[in-house]
Amino acid sequence: MRTGSEPTTARSALRARLWLSVWGLVWAMFGTAAFTLVGRPGWAAACGVLWLVIAVNFTLIVRHLRQGPHYQPGRDVPPYRPPDHRRP
């Protein structure tokens, strides 16, 4: 049931985002190094920019994980207020 408060009570799969950003960091670093060695400075720069964006995202994810239940409530915290079962 939708309550209308989903934007404020939505949960993010932070641990999944963390591992995906680690995967992206590895590939961006590899791409930057590979394109630099091959002599493609444009592609190396593009991978470098992508590397920077992923690193900022990774930092924010780690920050949100360390903030605890405020951003990542546990399984015992409901995702929204329970619906009112009283009928008018």
Coordinates of all heavy atoms in Angstrom, one line a residue:
M1 N 0.8 -1.2 0.0 CA 0.0 0.0 0.0 C 0.9 1.2 0.0 O 1.9 1.3 0.7 CB -0.9 0.0 1.2 CG -1.6 1.3 1.4 SD -2.6 1.3 2.9 CE -4.1 0.6 2.3
R2 N 0.6 2.2 -0.8 CA 1.3 3.4 -0.9 C 0.7 4.4 0.1 O -0.5 4.5 0.3 CB 1.2 4.0 -2.3 CG 1.9 3.1 -3.3 CD 1.9 3.7 -4.7 NE 2.5 5.0 -4.7 CZ 3.8 5.3 -5.1 NH1 4.5 4.3 -5.5 NH2 4.3 6.5 -5.1
T3 N 1.6 5.1 0.8 CA 1.2 6.1 1.8 C 1.4 7.5 1.4 O 1.0 8.4 2.0 CB 2.0 5.9 3.1 OG1 3.4 6.1 2.8 CG2 1.8 4.5 3.6
G4 N 2.2 7.7 0.3 CA 2.4 9.1 -0.2 C 3.7 9.6 0.4 O 4.2 10.7 0.0
S5 N 4.4 8.9 1.3 CA 5.6 9.4 1.9 C 6.8 8.6 1.4 O 7.9 8.7 2.0 CB 5.5 9.3 3.4 OG 5.5 7.9 3.8
E6 N 6.7 8.0 0.3 CA 7.8 7.2 -0.3 C 9.1 7.9 -0.5 O 10.2 7.4 -0.2 CB 7.4 6.4 -1.5 CG 6.5 5.2 -1.3 CD 5.0 5.6 -1.0 OE1 4.7 6.8 -1.2 OE2 4.3 4.7 -0.6
P7 N 9.1 9.2 -1.0 CA 10.3 9.9 -1.2 C 11.1 10.1 0.1 O 12.3 10.1 0.1 CB 9.9 11.2 -1.8 CG 8.6 11.0 -2.4 CD 8.0 9.9 -1.6
T8 N 10.5 10.2 1.3 CA 11.2 10.4 2.5 C 11.5 9.1 3.2 O 12.3 9.1 4.1 CB 10.4 11.3 3.5 OG1 9.1 10.7 3.7 CG2 10.2 12.7 2.9
T9 N 10.8 8.0 2.9 CA 11.0 6.7 3.6 C 11.6 5.7 2.7 O 11.7 4.5 3.1 CB 9.7 6.2 4.2 OG1 8.8 6.0 3.1 CG2 9.1 7.2 5.2
A10 N 12.0 6.0 1.5 CA 12.5 5.0 0.5 C 13.9 4.5 1.0 O 14.6 5.3 1.7 CB 12.7 5.7 -0.8
R11 N 14.2 3.3 0.7 CA 15.4 2.7 1.1 C 16.2 2.4 -0.2 O 15.7 2.2 -1.2 CB 15.2 1.4 1.8 CG 14.5 1.5 3.1 CD 14.3 0.2 3.8 NE 13.5 0.3 5.0 CZ 13.2 -0.6 5.8 NH1 13.8 -1.8 5.6 NH2 12.5 -0.5 6.8
S12 N 17.5 2.5 0.0 CA 18.4 2.3 -1.1 C 19.3 1.1 -0.8 O 19.7 0.9 0.4 CB 19.3 3.5 -1.3 OG 20.3 3.2 -2.3
A13 N 19.5 0.3 -1.8 CA 20.4 -0.9 -1.6 C 21.8 -0.4 -1.6 O 22.6 -0.6 -2.5 CB 20.1 -1.9 -2.7
L14 N 22.3 0.1 -0.4 CA 23.6 0.7 -0.4 C 24.7 -0.3 -0.5 O 25.7 0.0 -1.1 CB 23.7 1.5 0.9 CG 22.9 2.8 1.1 CD1 23.1 3.4 2.4 CD2 23.3 3.8 0.0
R15 N 24.5 -1.5 0.0 CA 25.6 -2.4 -0.1 C 25.8 -2.9 -1.5 O 26.9 -3.1 -2.0 CB 25.4 -3.6 0.8 CG 25.7 -3.2 2.3 CD 25.4 -4.3 3.3 NE 25.6 -3.9 4.6 CZ 24.8 -3.2 5.3 NH1 23.6 -2.8 4.8 NH2 25.1 -2.8 6.6
A16 N 24.7 -3.0 -2.2 CA 24.7 -3.4 -3.7 C 25.4 -2.3 -4.5 O 26.2 -2.5 -5.3 CB 23.4 -3.7 -4.2
R17 N 25.0 -1.0 -4.1 CA 25.6 0.1 -4.8 C 27.1 0.2 -4.5 O 27.9 0.6 -5.3 CB 25.0 1.4 -4.4 CG 23.6 1.6 -5.0 CD 23.0 2.9 -4.5 NE 23.8 4.1 -4.8 CZ 23.7 5.2 -4.2 NH1 22.7 5.4 -3.3 NH2 24.5 6.2 -4.4
L18 N 27.5 -0.2 -3.3 CA 28.9 -0.2 -2.9 C 29.7 -1.1 -3.8 O 30.7 -0.7 -4.3 CB 29.1 -0.5 -1.4 CG 30.5 -0.6 -0.9 CD1 31.0 0.8 -0.7 CD2 30.6 -1.4 0.4
W19 N 29.2 -2.3 -3.9 CA 30.0 -3.3 -4.7 C 30.0 -3.0 -6.2 O 30.9 -3.2 -6.9 CB 29.4 -4.7 -4.4 CG 29.8 -5.2 -3.1 CD1 29.0 -5.4 -2.0 CD2 31.1 -5.4 -2.6 NE1 29.7 -5.7 -0.9 CE2 31.0 -5.8 -1.2 CE3 32.4 -5.4 -3.1 CZ2 32.1 -6.1 -0.4 CZ3 33.5 -5.7 -2.4 CH2 33.4 -6.0 -1.0
L20 N 28.9 -2.4 -6.7 CA 28.8 -2.0 -8.1 C 29.8 -0.8 -8.3 O 30.5 -0.8 -9.4 CB 27.4 -1.6 -8.5 CG 26.5 -2.7 -8.7 CD1 25.0 -2.2 -8.9 CD2 26.9 -3.6 -9.8
S21 N 30.0 0.1 -7.3 CA 30.9 1.1 -7.5 C 32.4 0.6 -7.4 O 33.2 1.2 -8.1 CB 30.7 2.3 -6.5 OG 30.9 1.8 -5.2
V22 N 32.6 -0.4 -6.6 CA 33.9 -1.0 -6.6 C 34.2 -1.6 -7.9 O 35.4 -1.4 -8.5 CB 34.0 -2.0 -5.4 CG1 35.3 -2.9 -5.6 CG2 34.0 -1.4 -4.1
W23 N 33.3 -2.3 -8.5 CA 33.5 -2.9 -9.8 C 33.7 -1.8 -10.9 O 34.6 -2.0 -11.7 CB 32.2 -3.7 -10.2 CG 32.2 -4.4 -11.5 CD1 31.6 -4.0 -12.6 CD2 33.0 -5.6 -11.8 NE1 31.8 -4.9 -13.6 CE2 32.7 -5.9 -13.2 CE3 33.9 -6.4 -11.1 CZ2 33.3 -6.9 -13.8 CZ3 34.4 -7.4 -11.8 CH2 34.1 -7.7 -13.1
G24 N 33.0 -0.7 -10.8 CA 33.2 0.4 -11.7 C 34.6 1.0 -11.5 O 35.2 1.4 -12.5
L25 N 35.0 1.2 -10.3 CA 36.3 1.8 -10.0 C 37.4 0.9 -10.7 O 38.4 1.4 -11.3 CB 36.6 1.9 -8.5 CG 36.0 3.1 -7.8 CD1 36.2 3.0 -6.3 CD2 36.7 4.4 -8.4
V26 N 37.3 -0.4 -10.5 CA 38.3 -1.3 -11.1 C 38.4 -1.1 -12.6 O 39.5 -1.0 -13.2 CB 38.1 -2.7 -10.7 CG1 38.9 -3.7 -11.4 CG2 38.2 -2.9 -9.2
W27 N 37.2 -1.1 -13.2 CA 37.2 -1.0 -14.7 C 37.6 0.3 -15.2 O 38.3 0.5 -16.2 CB 35.8 -1.4 -15.2 CG 35.7 -2.9 -15.4 CD1 35.0 -3.7 -14.5 CD2 36.3 -3.7 -16.3 NE1 35.1 -5.0 -15.0 CE2 35.9 -5.0 -16.1 CE3 37.2 -3.5 -17.4 CZ2 36.3 -6.1 -16.8 CZ3 37.6 -4.6 -18.2 CH2 37.2 -5.9 -17.8
A28 N 37.3 1.4 -14.4 CA 37.7 2.7 -14.8 C 39.2 2.9 -14.7 O 39.9 3.5 -15.6 CB 37.0 3.8 -14.0
M29 N 39.8 2.3 -13.6 CA 41.2 2.4 -13.5 C 41.9 1.6 -14.6 O 42.9 2.0 -15.2 CB 41.7 1.9 -12.1 CG 41.3 2.8 -11.0 SD 42.0 2.3 -9.4 CE 41.2 0.8 -9.1
F30 N 41.4 0.4 -14.9 CA 41.9 -0.4 -16.0 C 41.8 0.3 -17.3 O 42.8 0.3 -18.1 CB 41.2 -1.8 -16.0 CG 41.6 -2.6 -17.2 CD1 42.8 -3.2 -17.2 CD2 40.8 -2.7 -18.3 CE1 43.2 -4.0 -18.3 CE2 41.1 -3.4 -19.4 CZ 42.4 -4.1 -19.4
G31 N 40.7 0.9 -17.6 CA 40.5 1.6 -18.8 C 41.4 2.8 -19.0 O 42.0 3.1 -20.0
T32 N 41.6 3.6 -17.9 CA 42.5 4.7 -17.9 C 43.9 4.3 -18.2 O 44.6 4.8 -19.1 CB 42.5 5.5 -16.6 OG1 41.1 5.9 -16.3 CG2 43.3 6.7 -16.6
A33 N 44.4 3.2 -17.5 CA 45.7 2.7 -17.7 C 45.9 2.2 -19.1 O 46.9 2.4 -19.8 CB 46.1 1.7 -16.7
A34 N 45.0 1.3 -19.6 CA 45.1 0.7 -20.9 C 45.1 1.7 -22.0 O 45.9 1.7 -22.9 CB 43.9 -0.3 -21.1
F35 N 44.2 2.7 -22.0 CA 44.1 3.7 -23.0 C 45.3 4.6 -23.0 O 45.8 5.1 -24.0 CB 42.8 4.5 -23.0 CG 41.6 3.7 -23.5 CD1 40.5 3.5 -22.7 CD2 41.6 3.2 -24.7 CE1 39.4 2.8 -23.1 CE2 40.5 2.5 -25.2 CZ 39.4 2.3 -24.4
T36 N 45.9 4.8 -21.8 CA 47.1 5.6 -21.7 C 48.3 4.9 -22.4 O 49.1 5.5 -23.1 CB 47.4 6.0 -20.3 OG1 46.3 6.7 -19.7 CG2 48.7 6.8 -20.2
L37 N 48.4 3.6 -22.1 CA 49.5 2.8 -22.7 C 49.3 2.7 -24.2 O 50.4 2.6 -24.9 CB 49.5 1.4 -22.0 CG 49.9 1.4 -20.5 CD1 49.8 0.0 -20.0 CD2 51.4 1.9 -20.4
V38 N 48.1 2.6 -24.7 CA 47.9 2.4 -26.1 C 48.1 3.7 -26.9 O 48.3 3.7 -28.1 CB 46.5 1.8 -26.4 CG1 46.1 1.8 -27.8 CG2 46.4 0.5 -25.8
G39 N 48.0 4.9 -26.1 CA 48.2 6.2 -26.8 C 46.9 6.8 -27.2 O 46.8 7.5 -28.2
R40 N 45.8 6.5 -26.5 CA 44.5 7.2 -26.8 C 44.2 8.1 -25.7 O 43.4 7.8 -24.7 CB 43.4 6.1 -26.9 CG 43.6 5.1 -27.9 CD 43.2 5.6 -29.3 NE 43.2 4.6 -30.3 CZ 42.5 4.6 -31.3 NH1 41.7 5.6 -31.5 NH2 42.5 3.6 -32.2
P41 N 44.7 9.4 -25.7 CA 44.5 10.3 -24.6 C 43.0 10.7 -24.4 O 42.6 10.9 -23.3 CB 45.3 11.5 -25.0 CG 45.5 11.4 -26.5 CD 45.4 10.0 -26.8
G42 N 42.2 10.8 -25.5 CA 40.8 11.1 -25.3 C 40.0 10.1 -24.5 O 39.3 10.4 -23.6
W43 N 40.2 8.8 -24.9 CA 39.5 7.8 -24.1 C 40.1 7.6 -22.7 O 39.3 7.3 -21.8 CB 39.7 6.4 -24.9 CG 38.8 6.3 -26.1 CD1 39.1 6.5 -27.4 CD2 37.4 6.1 -26.0 NE1 38.0 6.4 -28.2 CE2 36.9 6.1 -27.4 CE3 36.5 5.9 -25.0 CZ2 35.6 5.9 -27.7 CZ3 35.1 5.7 -25.4 CH2 34.7 5.7 -26.7
A44 N 41.4 7.9 -22.5 CA 42.0 7.8 -21.2 C 41.4 8.9 -20.3 O 41.1 8.7 -19.2 CB 43.5 7.9 -21.3
A45 N 41.2 10.1 -20.9 CA 40.6 11.2 -20.2 C 39.2 10.9 -19.8 O 38.7 11.2 -18.7 CB 40.7 12.5 -21.0
A46 N 38.4 10.3 -20.7 CA 37.0 9.9 -20.5 C 37.0 8.9 -19.3 O 36.1 9.0 -18.4 CB 36.4 9.4 -21.7
C47 N 37.8 7.9 -19.3 CA 37.9 6.9 -18.3 C 38.3 7.6 -16.9 O 37.8 7.2 -15.9 CB 38.8 5.8 -18.6 SG 38.1 4.7 -19.8
G48 N 39.2 8.6 -17.0 CA 39.6 9.3 -15.8 C 38.5 10.1 -15.2 O 38.3 10.1 -14.0
V49 N 37.7 10.7 -16.0 CA 36.5 11.5 -15.5 C 35.5 10.5 -14.9 O 35.0 10.8 -13.8 CB 35.9 12.3 -16.6 CG1 34.6 12.9 -16.2 CG2 36.8 13.4 -17.1
L50 N 35.3 9.4 -15.6 CA 34.4 8.4 -15.0 C 34.9 7.8 -13.7 O 34.2 7.6 -12.8 CB 34.2 7.2 -16.0 CG 33.3 6.1 -15.7 CD1 31.9 6.7 -15.5 CD2 33.3 5.0 -16.7
W51 N 36.2 7.6 -13.6 CA 36.9 7.2 -12.4 C 36.6 8.2 -11.3 O 36.3 7.8 -10.1 CB 38.4 7.1 -12.6 CG 39.2 6.5 -11.5 CD1 38.8 6.1 -10.3 CD2 40.6 6.4 -11.6 NE1 39.9 5.6 -9.6 CE2 41.0 5.8 -10.3 CE3 41.6 6.6 -12.5 CZ2 42.3 5.5 -10.0 CZ3 42.9 6.4 -12.2 CH2 43.2 5.8 -11.0
L52 N 36.7 9.5 -11.5 CA 36.4 10.5 -10.6 C 35.0 10.5 -10.1 O 34.7 10.6 -8.9 CB 36.8 11.9 -11.1 CG 36.6 13.1 -10.2 CD1 37.5 13.0 -9.0 CD2 36.8 14.4 -11.0
V53 N 34.0 10.4 -11.0 CA 32.6 10.3 -10.7 C 32.3 9.1 -9.8 O 31.6 9.2 -8.8 CB 31.7 10.4 -12.0 CG1 30.3 10.1 -11.6 CG2 31.9 11.7 -12.7
I54 N 32.9 8.0 -10.2 CA 32.6 6.8 -9.4 C 33.2 6.9 -8.0 O 32.7 6.4 -7.0 CB 33.2 5.5 -10.1 CG1 32.4 5.3 -11.4 CG2 33.1 4.3 -9.3 CD1 33.0 4.3 -12.3
A55 N 34.4 7.5 -7.9 CA 35.1 7.7 -6.6 C 34.2 8.6 -5.7 O 34.1 8.3 -4.5 CB 36.5 8.3 -6.8
V56 N 33.6 9.7 -6.2 CA 32.8 10.5 -5.4 C 31.5 9.7 -5.0 O 31.1 9.8 -3.8 CB 32.4 11.8 -6.2 CG1 31.3 12.6 -5.5 CG2 33.6 12.7 -6.4
N57 N 30.9 9.0 -5.9 CA 29.8 8.1 -5.5 C 30.1 7.1 -4.4 O 29.4 6.9 -3.5 CB 29.3 7.4 -6.8 CG 28.0 6.7 -6.5 OD1 27.1 7.1 -5.7 ND2 27.8 5.5 -7.1
F58 N 31.3 6.5 -4.6 CA 31.8 5.5 -3.6 C 31.9 6.2 -2.2 O 31.5 5.7 -1.2 CB 33.1 5.0 -4.0 CG 33.7 4.0 -3.1 CD1 33.2 2.7 -3.0 CD2 34.7 4.4 -2.2 CE1 33.8 1.8 -2.1 CE2 35.2 3.5 -1.3 CZ 34.8 2.2 -1.3
T59 N 32.4 7.4 -2.2 CA 32.6 8.1 -0.9 C 31.3 8.4 -0.3 O 31.1 8.3 0.9 CB 33.4 9.4 -1.2 OG1 34.6 9.1 -1.8 CG2 33.6 10.2 0.1
L60 N 30.3 8.8 -1.1 CA 29.0 9.1 -0.5 C 28.3 7.9 0.0 O 27.6 7.9 1.0 CB 28.1 9.8 -1.6 CG 28.5 11.2 -1.9 CD1 27.6 11.8 -3.1 CD2 28.4 12.1 -0.7
I61 N 28.5 6.8 -0.7 CA 27.9 5.5 -0.3 C 28.4 5.1 1.1 O 27.7 4.7 2.0 CB 28.1 4.4 -1.3 CG1 27.2 4.7 -2.6 CG2 27.7 3.1 -0.8 CD1 27.6 3.8 -3.7
V62 N 29.8 5.2 1.2 CA 30.4 4.8 2.5 C 30.0 5.7 3.6 O 29.7 5.3 4.7 CB 31.9 4.8 2.3 CG1 32.6 4.7 3.6 CG2 32.4 3.7 1.4
R63 N 29.8 7.0 3.3 CA 29.3 8.0 4.3 C 27.9 7.6 4.8 O 27.6 7.6 6.0 CB 29.3 9.4 3.7 CG 28.9 10.4 4.6 CD 29.0 11.8 4.0 NE 28.3 12.8 4.8 CZ 27.2 13.4 4.5 NH1 26.6 13.1 3.3 NH2 26.6 14.2 5.3
H64 N 27.0 7.3 3.8 CA 25.7 6.9 4.2 C 25.6 5.6 5.0 O 24.8 5.5 5.9 CB 24.8 6.8 2.9 CG 24.5 8.1 2.4 ND1 23.8 8.3 1.2 CD2 24.7 9.4 2.8 CE1 23.6 9.5 0.9 NE2 24.2 10.2 1.8
L65 N 26.5 4.7 4.6 CA 26.5 3.4 5.4 C 27.0 3.7 6.8 O 26.5 3.1 7.8 CB 27.5 2.4 4.7 CG 26.9 1.7 3.5 CD1 27.9 0.8 2.8 CD2 25.7 0.7 4.0
R66 N 28.0 4.6 7.0 CA 28.5 4.8 8.3 C 27.5 5.7 9.2 O 27.6 5.7 10.4 CB 29.8 5.6 8.2 CG 30.9 4.7 7.8 CD 32.2 5.3 7.9 NE 33.3 4.4 7.4 CZ 34.5 4.7 7.4 NH1 35.0 5.8 7.8 NH2 35.4 3.8 7.0
Q67 N 26.6 6.3 8.5 CA 25.6 7.1 9.3 C 24.5 6.2 9.9 O 23.8 6.7 10.8 CB 24.9 8.2 8.4 CG 25.8 9.3 8.1 CD 25.2 10.4 7.2 OE1 24.2 10.1 6.6 NE2 25.7 11.5 7.2
G68 N 24.5 5.0 9.5 CA 23.6 4.0 10.2 C 22.2 4.1 9.7 O 21.9 4.4 8.6
P69 N 21.3 3.8 10.7 CA 19.9 3.6 10.3 C 19.2 4.8 9.7 O 18.1 4.7 9.2 CB 19.2 3.1 11.6 CG 20.3 2.8 12.5 CD 21.5 3.5 12.0
H70 N 19.8 6.0 9.9 CA 19.2 7.1 9.3 C 19.0 7.0 7.8 O 18.0 7.3 7.2 CB 20.0 8.4 9.6 CG 19.5 9.6 9.0 ND1 18.3 10.2 9.4 CD2 19.9 10.4 8.0 CE1 18.1 11.3 8.6 NE2 19.0 11.4 7.8
Y71 N 20.0 6.4 7.2 CA 19.9 6.2 5.7 C 19.7 4.8 5.4 O 19.2 4.5 4.3 CB 21.2 6.7 5.0 CG 21.3 8.1 4.8 CD1 22.0 9.0 5.7 CD2 20.6 8.7 3.7 CE1 22.0 10.3 5.5 CE2 20.6 10.1 3.5 CZ 21.3 10.9 4.4 OH 21.3 12.2 4.2
Q72 N 20.0 3.9 6.2 CA 19.8 2.5 5.9 C 19.2 1.8 7.1 O 19.9 1.2 7.9 CB 21.2 1.8 5.6 CG 21.1 0.4 5.1 CD 20.6 0.3 3.7 OE1 20.4 1.3 3.0 NE2 20.3 -0.8 3.2
P73 N 17.9 1.9 7.3 CA 17.2 1.3 8.4 C 17.4 -0.2 8.4 O 17.4 -0.8 7.3 CB 15.8 1.7 8.3 CG 15.6 2.2 6.9 CD 17.0 2.6 6.4
G74 N 17.4 -0.8 9.5 CA 17.4 -2.3 9.6 C 16.2 -2.9 9.2 O 15.2 -2.3 8.9
R75 N 16.1 -4.3 9.3 CA 15.0 -5.0 8.9 C 13.8 -4.8 9.9 O 12.7 -5.1 9.5 CB 15.3 -6.5 8.7 CG 16.3 -6.7 7.6 CD 16.6 -8.1 7.4 NE 17.5 -8.2 6.2 CZ 18.0 -9.3 5.7 NH1 17.7 -10.4 6.2 NH2 18.8 -9.2 4.7
D76 N 14.1 -4.4 11.1 CA 13.0 -4.3 12.1 C 12.4 -2.9 12.0 O 11.3 -2.7 12.6 CB 13.6 -4.4 13.5 CG 14.7 -3.5 13.8 OD1 15.4 -3.0 12.8 OD2 15.0 -3.2 15.0
V77 N 12.9 -2.0 11.1 CA 12.3 -0.7 10.9 C 11.4 -0.7 9.7 O 11.9 -1.1 8.6 CB 13.4 0.4 10.8 CG1 12.7 1.8 10.5 CG2 14.3 0.4 12.0
P78 N 10.1 -0.4 9.9 CA 9.2 -0.5 8.7 C 9.6 0.6 7.7 O 10.0 1.7 8.0 CB 7.8 -0.3 9.3 CG 8.0 0.4 10.6 CD 9.4 0.0 11.1
P79 N 9.4 0.3 6.4 CA 9.7 1.3 5.3 C 8.7 2.5 5.3 O 9.0 3.5 4.7 CB 9.6 0.5 4.1 CG 8.7 -0.7 4.4 CD 8.9 -1.0 5.8
Y80 N 7.6 2.4 5.9 CA 6.6 3.4 5.9 C 5.7 3.3 7.2 O 5.7 2.2 7.8 CB 5.8 3.5 4.7 CG 5.1 2.1 4.4 CD1 3.9 1.8 5.0 CD2 5.6 1.3 3.5 CE1 3.3 0.6 4.7 CE2 5.0 0.0 3.2 CZ 3.8 -0.3 3.8 OH 3.3 -1.5 3.6
R81 N 5.0 4.3 7.5 CA 4.1 4.2 8.6 C 3.0 3.2 8.3 O 2.5 3.2 7.2 CB 3.4 5.6 8.9 CG 4.4 6.6 9.4 CD 3.7 7.9 9.8 NE 2.9 8.4 8.6 CZ 3.4 9.3 7.7 NH1 4.6 9.8 7.9 NH2 2.7 9.7 6.7
P82 N 2.6 2.4 9.3 CA 1.6 1.4 9.0 C 0.3 2.1 8.7 O 0.0 3.2 9.2 CB 1.5 0.7 10.3 CG 2.7 0.9 11.1 CD 3.2 2.2 10.6
P83 N -0.5 1.6 7.8 CA -1.8 2.2 7.4 C -2.8 2.2 8.6 O -2.7 1.3 9.4 CB -2.3 1.3 6.2 CG -1.6 0.0 6.4 CD -0.3 0.3 7.0
D84 N -3.6 3.2 8.6 CA -4.6 3.3 9.6 C -5.8 2.4 9.2 O -6.4 2.6 8.2 CB -5.0 4.8 9.7 CG -5.9 5.0 10.9 OD1 -6.1 4.1 11.8 OD2 -6.5 6.1 11.0
H85 N -6.0 1.4 10.1 CA -7.1 0.5 9.7 C -8.5 1.0 10.1 O -9.5 0.3 9.8 CB -6.8 -0.9 10.4 CG -5.6 -1.6 9.8 ND1 -5.6 -2.0 8.6 CD2 -4.4 -1.8 10.4 CE1 -4.4 -2.6 8.3 NE2 -3.6 -2.5 9.4
R86 N -8.6 2.1 10.8 CA -9.9 2.6 11.2 C -10.6 3.2 9.9 O -10.0 3.9 9.2 CB -9.8 3.7 12.2 CG -9.3 3.1 13.6 CD -9.1 4.2 14.6 NE -7.9 4.9 14.2 CZ -7.6 6.1 14.6 NH1 -8.4 6.8 15.3 NH2 -6.4 6.6 14.2
R87 N -11.8 2.9 9.8 CA -12.6 3.5 8.6 C -13.4 4.6 9.2 O -14.0 4.5 10.2 CB -13.5 2.4 8.0 CG -12.7 1.2 7.6 CD -12.8 1.1 6.1 NE -12.1 -0.1 5.7 CZ -11.5 -0.2 4.5 NH1 -11.5 0.9 3.7 NH2 -10.8 -1.2 4.2
P88 N -13.5 5.7 8.5 CA -14.3 6.9 8.9 C -15.8 6.6 8.8 O -16.3 5.8 8.1 CB -13.9 8.0 8.0 CG -13.2 7.4 6.9 CD -12.8 6.0 7.2

